[in-house]
Amino acid sequence: MEGKKTNKLEEKILYLSPSPHVKSGESVPRIMWTVVITLMPATIMGVYFFGIRALWVILVSIATAVITEASIQLMRRKKITVYNGSAVITGLLLALCLPPSIPYYAVIIGTFFGIAVGKHAFGGLGYNIFNPALIGRAFLQASFPVKMTTWTPTLLQQKCVDAVTTATPLGLFKFEKVTTPYVDLLWGNVGGCIGETCAIAIIAGGIILLVLRYADWRIPLSYLGTVAILGGIFWLINPEQYPDPLFHLLAGGLMLGAFFMATDMVTSPSTPLGSWIFGIGAGTLLIIIRLFGGLPEGVMYSIILMNSVTPLINMFTRPKILGEKK
Amino acid sequence: MSSFKTSLAHEFTKGLWKENPVLRMLLGLCPTLAVTNSAVNGLSMGLAVIFTLTCSSTLISLIRNIVPKQVRIPTFIIVIATFVTVADRTLAAFFPTISKALGPYVPLIVVNCIILGRQEAFASKNPVHRAIIDALGMSIGFTLTLTILGMFRELLGAGSIFNLPIMPESFDTWLVMILPPGAFLALGLMIGIANWINSKLGIKS
């Protein structure tokens, strides 16, 4: 019954809504493809640092995402909407937060899971509770924990040191108390996931998104701000034990997460106050995981956990309707 | 016989699919989620439930007319607990490894909703032969569901079924499938598939 109802709604051509009627040129495909373009700097830097294999991981992931989405829509006899770019984004984002040495079959499994279970099991675009790319990554992390934490050095690093595996800056700090120079973190010449190492490229793309207002600036600001403030407090308490706030901001997947994953329109709150709560919550969770958890990194879990409370945040921060009494 | 609305065959088959305790009524999910990390564990749990449910239903049905209504639930529990203890001790004595793998979930059959539910809804109101058929259908439906779930999870999580290697050597096991989150994912998918089949067959939920 439920399915039939939505079908009818979708088929309806004439909408009657109360005024004011504001028309905008925005559309789902336009927003989605813009996000893809703003991800290009990070993608290019990832391929530059990790080589042609990184490009293959990205292409396999995007292809799997598009094929999965199209076949599920075909199976459910829904309109096929792969051209709108949302599956491409999921595939691209997932690939960007995978280690470069990840086996291709794992990429396919993760992307399929993200799209099929993370997105379409909930009803497709707009109905998913969690960011599908992060669900795919979480599934891979739980399924193949060793392969998901085996890091290869960048091509530049390989020229200097003959090593097969390396550690991420966060892992180095957490387990060996070794700090990484900021220049390497900004530029991206460190071990890590394909698209998360080059902070400059991610920020450049992210700022375009914010300027175009395709992402709510409150989320990255409150997320990064909370991490900086909380991280700073712990750093002031004990600089030996805890890394400084700038390191927190630049290392790991925080930039990619804050600009491109936490800001997903479907899975983040729709009210301004809600966005603040979302960012502060995610930042607090991230610091707790990074400093006191077993894992060196926690961007994925912090965003997924906040995704799960987004409906609740939306409910509590609903603006008052004009004339409504408290 | 004619005084009953439904046939004996129906009483048996309803537990297998139409009123499957796990897939349709969502009862007994605790052991379903906890012990299905391998096909053997799922099957053993199911066999323990077949024994307990059939014996309890038989006895409850036999004494249904002499138990006062006010104390029926404590009576059910004592009868069930007796048979669960028998099953638990038998497993521990003859199959210590399986008993260890199932952990506390065999003793916990005492509070399993499927068993208490059948006593309250069926055995205490029906003659003994119908109660036995109903108990067998329900518990076999439970066993089949757990075994299939266990097979699926073991196949992906360990590359084998009933400890027989199925997947090629190069297969990288999906660790999550034999961990608790895998239980929720697999059961969710299974219930989803069951609902989808029912919607195709036109069976209302």
Side-chain angles (χ1 to χ4, degrees):
Chain A
M1 278 309 281
E2 205 63 32
K4 275 180 191 162
K5 260 182 202 165
T6 37
N7 268 344
K8 264 187 190 159
L9 270 178
E10 279 165 10
E11 282 163 16
K12 214 189 238 173
I13 303 161
L14 181 68
Y15 282 102
L16 287 178
S17 65
S19 61
H21 304 278
V22 180
K23 286 221 167 189
S24 101
E26 304 298 359
S27 65
V28 173
R30 187 167 154 179
I31 296 173
M32 295 293 178
W33 288 113
T34 312
V35 176
V36 172
I37 291 165
T38 53
L39 274 168
M40 278 305 124
T43 311
I44 291 164
M45 290 312 280
V47 176
Y48 169 72
F49 280 121
F50 296 107
I52 199 75
R53 193 171 193 288
L55 184 64
W56 279 114
V57 170
I58 293 168
L59 292 179
V60 166
S61 182
I62 293 177
T64 314
V66 170
I67 294 168
T68 309
E69 175 137 317
S71 23
I72 289 177
Q73 285 173 334
L74 207 66
M75 244 173 66
R76 297 182 62 206
R77 300 208 182 89
K78 298 246 170 185
K79 218 171 100 191
I80 293 180
T81 57
V82 283
Y83 66 87
N84 74 14
S86 79
V88 175
I89 291 189
T90 302
L92 181 59
L93 270 180
L94 178 61
L96 291 183
C97 61
L98 291 176
S101 60
I102 186 93
Y104 295 122
Y105 66 82
V107 180
I108 295 172
I109 293 169
T111 314
F112 173 80
F113 190 84
I115 295 274
V117 178
K119 187 175 174 188
H120 284 284
F122 290 95
L125 182 66
Y127 297 95
N128 47 312
I129 298 172
F130 302 101
N131 187 324
L134 287 175
I135 287 296
R137 191 185 195 279
F139 187 73
L140 288 178
Q141 176 87 53
S143 294
F144 313 110
V146 178
K147 295 222 158 70
M148 284 296 284
T149 47
T150 307
W151 311 100
T152 44
T154 62
L155 296 177
L156 283 174
Q157 285 175 325
Q158 281 174 11
K159 278 181 189 161
C160 316
V161 199
D162 191 24
V164 184
T165 59
T166 182
T168 61
L170 281 169
L172 278 173
F173 191 90
K174 182 150 192 153
F175 303 120
E176 294 162 47
K177 293 277 172 273
V178 175
T179 46
T180 312
Y182 295 126
V183 184
D184 285 351
L185 291 175
L186 270 175
W187 165 233
N189 188 22
V190 291
C193 298
I194 293 171
E196 70 171 22
T197 60
C198 181
I200 295 177
I202 300 165
I203 296 171
I207 285 178
I208 299 175
L209 265 195
L210 297 187
V211 169
L212 291 174
R213 302 201 173 193
Y214 287 168
D216 187 346
W217 56 273
R218 295 172 188 90
I219 292 174
L221 183 70
S222 55
Y223 192 1
L224 298 173
T226 309
V227 170
I229 293 169
L230 276 182
I233 292 172
F234 281 104
W235 176 62
L236 286 175
I237 294 172
N238 186 355
E240 297 282 306
Q241 173 92 34
Y242 304 115
D244 60 273
L246 194 58
F247 178 82
H248 268 305
L249 291 181
L250 296 179
L254 178 57
M255 285 295 169
L256 190 65
F259 282 109
F260 290 98
M261 293 179 185
T263 55
D264 174 14
M265 287 180 179
V266 178
T267 57
S268 62
S270 47
T271 58
L273 178 62
S275 299
W276 287 108
I277 298 174
F278 185 91
I280 293 169
T284 314
L285 285 168
L286 176 67
I287 288 292
I288 294 173
I289 298 171
R290 274 193 184 175
L291 297 183
F292 309 108
L295 297 164
E297 177 61 308
V299 170
M300 171 178 79
Y301 294 120
S302 72
I303 298 175
I304 289 181
L305 283 170
M306 289 313 289
N307 282 164
S308 68
V309 293
T310 295
L312 203 65
I313 297 177
N314 274 337
M315 212 172 81
F316 284 121
T317 58
R318 195 168 58 92
K320 227 167 128 181
I321 299 166
L322 188 65
E324 185 187 17
K325 276 182 191 163
K326 190 82 184 172
Chain B
M1 283 307 284
S2 55
S3 60
F4 297 106
K5 273 182 234 155
T6 48
S7 68
L8 272 176
H10 172 81
E11 297 298 359
F12 180 73
T13 52
K14 72 179 182 205
L16 301 183
W17 183 262
K18 274 190 179 169
E19 293 178 29
N20 183 298
V22 178
L23 297 177
R24 303 293 287 164
M25 300 198 286
L26 304 186
L27 293 177
L29 292 188
C30 214
T32 304
L33 293 166
V35 305
T36 51
N37 53 0
S38 74
V40 174
N41 288 353
L43 181 63
S44 323
M45 184 71 208
L47 291 177
V49 167
I50 292 180
F51 169 78
T52 314
L53 182 54
T54 314
C55 293
S56 315
S57 281
T58 313
L59 195 61
I60 296 293
S61 176
L62 284 172
I63 60 172
R64 69 185 189 279
N65 293 327
I66 51 171
V67 177
K69 211 170 185 299
Q70 294 86 342
V71 292
R72 68 190 193 287
I73 301 282
T75 318
F76 297 162
I77 294 287
I78 289 169
V79 170
I80 296 165
T82 311
F83 289 113
V84 168
T85 311
V86 173
D88 183 39
R89 293 296 89 201
T90 313
L91 268 177
F94 295 102
F95 307 97
T97 45
I98 290 177
S99 171
K100 221 169 211 166
L102 296 182
Y105 292 98
V106 175
L108 279 175
I109 298 175
V110 178
V111 288
N112 189 317
C113 295
I114 298 172
I115 302 189
L116 194 59
R118 287 338 285 172
Q119 311 313 328
E120 172 73 8
F122 201 91
S124 60
K125 292 172 190 151
N126 283 281
V128 78
H129 63 283
R130 293 181 77 85
I132 293 175
I133 293 291
D134 170 78
L136 279 174
M138 284 291 162
S139 52
I140 290 172
F142 179 76
T143 310
L144 285 177
T145 314
L146 259 69
T147 312
I148 292 168
L149 195 58
M151 280 163 63
F152 177 68
R153 289 180 63 196
E154 191 183 340
L155 179 68
L156 292 177
S160 59
I161 291 180
F162 285 106
N163 296 327
L164 293 171
I166 300 280
M167 293 292 193
E169 288 266 312
S170 56
F171 177 72
D172 206 7
T173 55
W174 305 14
L175 187 64
V176 66
M177 293 315 289
I178 48 173
L179 297 176
F184 285 94
L185 288 173
L187 181 64
L189 286 176
M190 211 167 150
I191 293 173
I193 293 170
N195 284 347
W196 179 73
I197 294 173
N198 280 327
S199 74
K200 291 275 157 199
L201 294 176
I203 300 172
K204 278 181 191 152
S205 48

